[in-house]
Amino acid sequence: MSVPTDLRVLCRRLASTPADDLPRFCPVLVSHVLRCGEPLSAAQEAKGKDKTSEAPVLVHRLKTHITTLLTGKSPAGRFAAVCLIKAVIDVGGWETLKASDPWIRGLISVLQKPDPLASKELCIVTLTRIYMLLQDYPTLVREMATPTLPSFITACLQLVKPPASGKPLRISAAVAETIASALSKLIVLYPTTMRPFRAQIIAIFSAYVAPTCSDPLVAPQTLKESARRLLILLHCTAPKDGSGEDWIRAMRLSVKSCHATADQVFRAVHESWESSTGYISQPVRTDLEPCGGGVSADEFPSWTGLQAGAERLVGLLEFLAEHFRTPTKSAVAVSLGELLDLTSRITLITPPGSDDAVELNASIGRDEKAELWSVLRDIHAAVMRLHAAIVQRLGDGALPLATDILDQIARIFKSSRNVRSVREATYTLAKEVLLLSGPMLPRLTVDSAAPVIQSCCQDLLRAAGHSEDKPQVAAPASAPTSTTSSNSNSNGSKKGSNGRPHPQQNVTGNADAFLGPPSGTTNPTATPSPFSTSSSPDHGDATAAAAAALLPLLLSHLPQRHLSPEARGLVDRTAILAGSRPAMLASCLHPYKDSRGRHYASILPFLVGQFPRDQAVEVLRTNLLRAGAGATASNATPYATAGAWADDNDDNDMHDEDEDAAAAAAAGKPDDASMANGDGEDAAEKETAATAAEATPKTSGFGGWAPSTDAAAVAAAGIDANGNGNADMDVDSAIIAPLSPLKRKSDGAGRLGTAAKKQQRAKPAPTAEAEDDGSGSDNDDGSESSSVQIDMTIDDDDEEEEEEEEEEGGEE
């Protein structure tokens, strides 16, 4: 075995560097250890046989240096030893683990010494890693983990134990979070060993589950999540097969605590809710502040004040949601009725001004009522997050709750849509419900979701920079402003008696308000969209991200027959302006047809224009082209075409023409090329065909795609005569194209263009000889025309043609 240079350098540096200077070299030392995995993980037999190798000597010397530093008197040396032990354990494998018993006991002793918190936190991480690796070796578990794990748990609980009243916490929130995470990992691996510490864990970490502003400590969100996960996993320590019952008991205790807290928080209203699970509301005192909690083992810490009560209720609802995100040891029975009963009670409380306003309690002051309406939005958002966790965990098992959940969404969103957290939770929950039972929703439920659809589109348009609500620029108080008289026009300019603006009148205001942000800065009032192709992404806008995830499902998982044309048009417009590829694909795959059976134009040209090199878009476009290749003008497809579907410049078309010409020559019939050159066709028919061809737009802009037979739709969509998109198109008119139904005659046959009809009126009728010689067409059905030209105009009435003839007669 060759001796790595890093191992030799590592031993030399540890021997020559003072212990107090080692923390500065810890990154370098750890990097050396990570490159010495081969000699550290080599078996003892191989080390003993190789007498000439220096590696076993250096490995022994390294372990001796680490043990000396760990048991030394220098705190800096102990910190360096902990760093090196963590690195050696990661790369050493079995050979290092079986000899790590002295290190385990030394690390536990460091937790009991007055070392810095950084050293203790690193000790906890290292010991957790060692115990997790020992789980794969039952012999090492019996010899090393079982004797030392109780001492480690005791040392951790002593660190996080709450101090006496009036004294500050001895550790930081980060160390408490590390301890909670470490115990959560070990409680699954060693449930029997951790069973005696169950009561201590509950007493210590209950304060972090749903903290309030009346508590002496401030817990960050990460600490709350770790503490909740730890308390939920305590059901693993239940004896025999009692883990499922213990989980259900903890869930019901949390639901009961939510009801008890709601009794105090909602005392300003007379609730019309009646429990379907047998819960009886407790009487409350109106002469004191709202309060709750207690000191018993089954209660959470006490709280006082409405704000603290709302925070406790939100924390308990999130605690219930965490039950569905944390895995269980065995199968459990969830009482969905109790959860739905709780959420129904909370969502029935709506602020004044809504349709379902509740009756107020006259014995409660105005200030408490105003504070209740302020905190109610956060409680409603927590309810929707709970529903989302239930649907995500239960999947199809939550199908019976879909209708009730959507009713609660509509009730909450009607009164709290102006709160960002409520909108974000609503979009997330609506996405999960649509994935669960979207295609089966009735029309009434879809109609009730109209405010959610509108708000989702508004958030995406605002994030993409296309918000319609422009901020009003107010002039400063010191700047004089001009008064508006009765003869002012709609643009705000002054007019005289003759209707013309006065040149001498000027409007004064703050000129700086009309200046944009300086170069290299960002407008603080504008939020860039993570889905816009013209602006930089803003990954911090969680509301826009949730709305973007919901938008494609509004097209793919909602019954489109239940959507109004206005709602479908708004969704299509938002998908285009926000640059949402999944939503645009869903719109093309799920075309819209109104109640009268009319198909609306597709947004495929916009999709191809924004994502021209996307494989999924190309597959969709190609399949639509193939599906429409044999379609006639009488076909009821929403993608009616004018002319050929294939690209005029496609090489395959040239090969097809050659093959057709060869086949026609073999059969003794004139081919299309000879007919186009005038063989068998008179001059009037050639002129008619040329005129109609000029009126037909080419389709090479989108690879042979003819967007629509509606000329106004094509113009509004920003597509030129070649089928190319216009980059300078009007944004507000883009919505007209997806909403305009395709114009067709009742018999389904195509119409000749206006210019072609004029030419037909001018030319003489063909003679019988011309019809008999086969020059008119080579179709088998005997039709007189060789091709059918489709009208690209909007109006199908014949009155317009008569008016044009009268105008032409007048001009002549």
Side-chain angles (χ1 to χ4, degrees):
M1 180 188 303
S2 60
V3 180
T5 308
D6 295 277
L7 184 58
R8 187 181 294 109
V9 173
L10 180 62
C11 294
R12 180 182 58 82
R13 188 176 292 274
L14 288 176
S16 60
T17 306
D20 294 338
D21 296 338
L22 285 177
R24 295 184 302 163
F25 298 98
C26 278
V28 179
L29 299 176
V30 170
S31 64
H32 287 311
V33 173
L34 296 179
R35 289 192 288 264
C36 299
E38 183 179 356
L40 289 175
S41 59
Q44 292 291 340
E45 293 78 6
K47 295 178 183 179
K49 292 179 180 179
D50 193 359
K51 303 295 183 179
T52 61
S53 177
E54 188 183 359
V57 179
L58 294 177
V59 170
H60 178 73
R61 187 181 303 173
L62 174 62
K63 294 181 179 180
T64 304
H65 280 305
I66 294 175
T67 305
T68 303
L69 291 174
L70 184 62
T71 58
K73 297 181 179 181
S74 173
R78 290 194 291 266
F79 176 80
V82 175
C83 295
L84 293 174
I85 290 172
K86 177 65 169 59
V88 171
I89 290 295
D90 288 336
V91 300
W94 157 262
E95 293 296 330
T96 306
L97 276 176
K98 69 178 184 179
S100 61
D101 186 64
W103 288 351
I104 294 176
R105 300 182 184 276
L107 291 172
I108 295 176
S109 64
V110 172
L111 293 176
Q112 301 171 350
K113 294 179 181 179
D115 281 14
L117 291 178
S119 298
K120 295 183 178 181
E121 187 174 4
L122 188 57
C123 281
I124 295 171
V125 174
T126 305
L127 285 169
T128 304
R129 176 63 174 168
I130 293 174
Y131 287 127
M132 292 176 64
L133 294 176
L134 291 176
Q135 181 64 26
D136 297 333
Y137 309 102
T139 304
L140 297 183
V141 169
R142 184 176 60 255
E143 295 177 356
M144 300 170 57
T146 303
T148 59
L149 186 57
S151 301
F152 169 64
I153 298 174
T154 303
C156 290
L157 295 180
Q158 287 294 328
L159 288 175
V160 77
K161 183 178 180 181
S165 178
K167 294 184 180 180
L169 193 64
R170 291 179 296 178
I171 62 173
S172 61
V175 179
E177 177 188 350
T178 303
I179 294 174
S181 300
L183 296 180
S184 299
K185 292 179 174 62
L186 297 179
I187 201 171
V188 181
L189 302 176
Y190 305 94
T192 305
T193 306
M194 298 190 65
R195 186 180 303 162
F197 303 96
R198 175 189 176 93
Q200 298 183 41
I201 293 175
I202 294 177
I204 292 174
F205 287 97
S206 294
Y208 303 107
V209 171
T212 65
C213 58
S214 60
D215 296 339
L217 53 90
V218 177
Q221 183 65 25
T222 54
L223 175 57
K224 291 187 287 186
E225 294 174 356
S226 300
R228 293 165 185 167
R229 191 178 304 111
L230 175 60
L231 292 187
I232 294 171
L233 289 174
L234 284 177
H235 75 277
C236 297
T237 61
K240 296 183 180 180
D241 297 333
S243 61
E245 297 179 359
D246 191 83
W247 189 91
I248 296 173
R249 190 182 307 110
M251 170 76 73
R252 290 178 176 174
L253 179 62
S254 300
V255 172
K256 182 180 178 181
S257 300
C258 288
H259 279 298
T261 307
D263 292 340
Q264 297 287 332
V265 174
F266 297 149
R267 68 177 190 171
V269 298
H270 291 295
E271 299 184 61
S272 59
W273 164 81
E274 293 183 1
S275 177
S276 59
T277 58
Y279 177 79
I280 300 177
S281 299
Q282 301 298 323
V284 296
R285 298 182 57 181
T286 59
D287 56 339
L288 298 176
E289 279 192 300
C291 58
V295 294
S296 62
D298 295 339
E299 293 180 324
F300 290 94
S302 58
W303 57 270
T304 303
L306 183 60
Q307 179 65 36
E311 293 176 358
R312 173 59 53 81
L313 184 57
V314 170
L316 292 175
L317 291 172
E318 293 177 349
F319 185 44
L320 289 174
E322 192 66 29
H323 278 77
F324 292 92
R325 301 190 187 102
T326 305
T328 58
K329 184 178 180 180
S330 59
V332 295
V334 183
S335 179
L336 296 179
E338 296 181 359
L339 294 173
L340 192 62
D341 187 41
L342 172 64
T343 57
S344 299
R345 176 187 182 181
I346 296 175
T347 54
L348 284 174
I349 307 297
T350 55
S354 58
D355 298 338
D356 303 327
V358 296
E359 182 182 357
L360 301 179
N361 189 355
S363 59
I364 302 300
R366 182 183 303 177
D367 295 339
E368 183 175 338
K369 295 176 183 176
E371 190 174 2
L372 173 62
W373 310 136
S374 176
V375 301
L376 187 62
R377 276 60 182 261
D378 296 332
I379 300 175
H380 285 169
V383 168
M384 286 189 285
R385 289 193 292 269
L386 172 60
H387 279 313
I390 294 174
V391 175
Q392 290 173 356
R393 179 64 181 274
L394 300 183
D396 295 340
L399 190 60
L401 305 178
T403 304
D404 294 332
I405 291 175
L406 288 175
D407 291 341
Q408 294 183 14
I409 290 177
R411 190 183 305 120
I412 292 174
F413 200 77
K414 189 182 302 182
S415 60
S416 305
R417 62 184 301 176
N418 59 332
V419 181
R420 180 180 293 269
S421 60
V422 173
R423 296 200 305 272
E424 179 185 349
T426 301
Y427 301 153
T428 304
L429 178 57
K431 181 193 71 172
E432 300 296 335
V433 176
L434 289 182
L435 290 173
L436 179 65
S437 62
M440 299 181 295
L441 295 178
R443 179 181 296 274
L444 184 61
T445 305
V446 175
D447 292 341
S448 65
V452 179
I453 298 175
Q454 181 182 6
S455 178
C456 174
C457 296
Q458 288 178 354
D459 280 335
L460 284 177
L461 291 175
R462 187 182 300 110
H466 300 290
S467 178
E468 298 179 358
D469 48 344
K470 304 293 184 182
Q472 299 294 333
V473 180
S478 59
T481 57
S482 60
T483 58
T484 305
S485 59
S486 60
N487 57 355
S488 298
N489 60 1
S490 60
N491 295 330
S493 60
K494 292 292 240 177
K495 291 184 177 181
S497 59
N498 57 356
R500 298 180 179 180
H502 291 293
Q504 70 276 9
Q505 292 181 348
N506 297 323
V507 179
T508 61
N510 186 7
D512 295 337
F514 299 95
L515 297 178
S519 177
T521 61
T522 305
N523 186 2
T525 60
T527 304
S529 172
F531 317 101
S532 176
T533 57
S534 60
S535 59
S536 59
D538 182 11
H539 301 287
D541 194 350
T543 304
L550 173 64
L551 187 66
L553 301 183
L554 298 177
L555 298 166
S556 61
H557 285 72
L558 267 184
Q560 298 300 296
R561 64 185 181 275
H562 297 337
L563 279 179
S564 63
E566 294 79 7
R568 175 57 188 260
L570 178 61
V571 175
D572 283 344
R573 177 173 180 264
T574 304
I576 296 171
L577 295 179
S580 177
R581 171 183 167 277
M584 297 175 73
L585 281 173
S587 177
C588 296
L589 292 173
H590 299 82
Y592 183 74
K593 183 172 66 174
D594 60 6
S595 58
R596 299 173 58 183
R598 298 179 301 174
H599 290 271
Y600 284 70
S602 172
I603 65 171
L604 183 61
F606 295 97
L607 177 62
V608 177
Q610 292 192 29
F611 305 96
R613 301 183 182 276
D614 189 88
Q615 294 184 0
V617 175
E618 181 62 22
V619 170
L620 175 63
R621 183 188 67 84
T622 305
N623 282 275
L624 289 178
L625 295 183
R626 292 177 179 175
T632 62
S634 61
N635 193 5
T637 175
Y639 309 114
T641 58
W645 282 82
D647 194 351
D648 296 338
N649 299 325
D650 196 352
D651 296 336
N652 297 329
D653 295 341
M654 299 177 63
H655 296 302
D656 294 340
E657 292 176 1
D658 296 340
E659 294 175 359
D660 295 340
K669 297 181 180 180
D671 57 358
D672 294 339
S674 61
M675 293 177 62
N677 292 330
D679 298 336
E681 183 175 359
D682 57 6
E685 290 178 349
K686 289 194 294 180
E687 185 177 0
T688 301
T691 306
E694 292 177 358
T696 304
K698 297 185 182 297
T699 59
S700 60
F702 288 101
W705 168 254
S708 174
T709 59
D710 195 1
V714 174
I719 302 173
D720 57 12
N722 295 326
N724 297 321
N726 183 10
D728 298 332
M729 57 173 287
D730 185 8
V731 172
D732 295 333
S733 63
I735 190 57
I736 301 177
L739 283 180
S740 56
L742 300 179
K743 304 290 185 179
R744 296 185 180 85
K745 291 181 69 64
S746 59
D747 57 354
R751 300 175 58 240
L752 292 175
T754 304
K757 284 193 172 184
K758 294 178 182 179
Q759 288 296 122
Q760 279 191 338
R761 298 191 191 99
K763 74 179 184 67
T767 60
E769 291 79 10
E771 296 177 357
D772 295 336
D773 59 5
S775 61
S777 175
D778 59 351
N779 295 337
D780 296 336
D781 57 356
S783 59
E784 296 180 0
S785 176
S786 60
S787 62
V788 178
Q789 303 296 333
I790 300 178
D791 186 15
M792 295 296 293
T793 59
I794 295 180
D795 197 358
D796 288 340
D797 299 334
D798 295 332
E799 297 178 0
E800 182 180 359
E801 300 175 2
E802 297 176 359
E803 293 177 359
E804 292 179 356
E805 293 177 358
E806 293 176 0
E807 292 177 359
E808 292 177 358
E811 292 177 357
E812 294 176 357

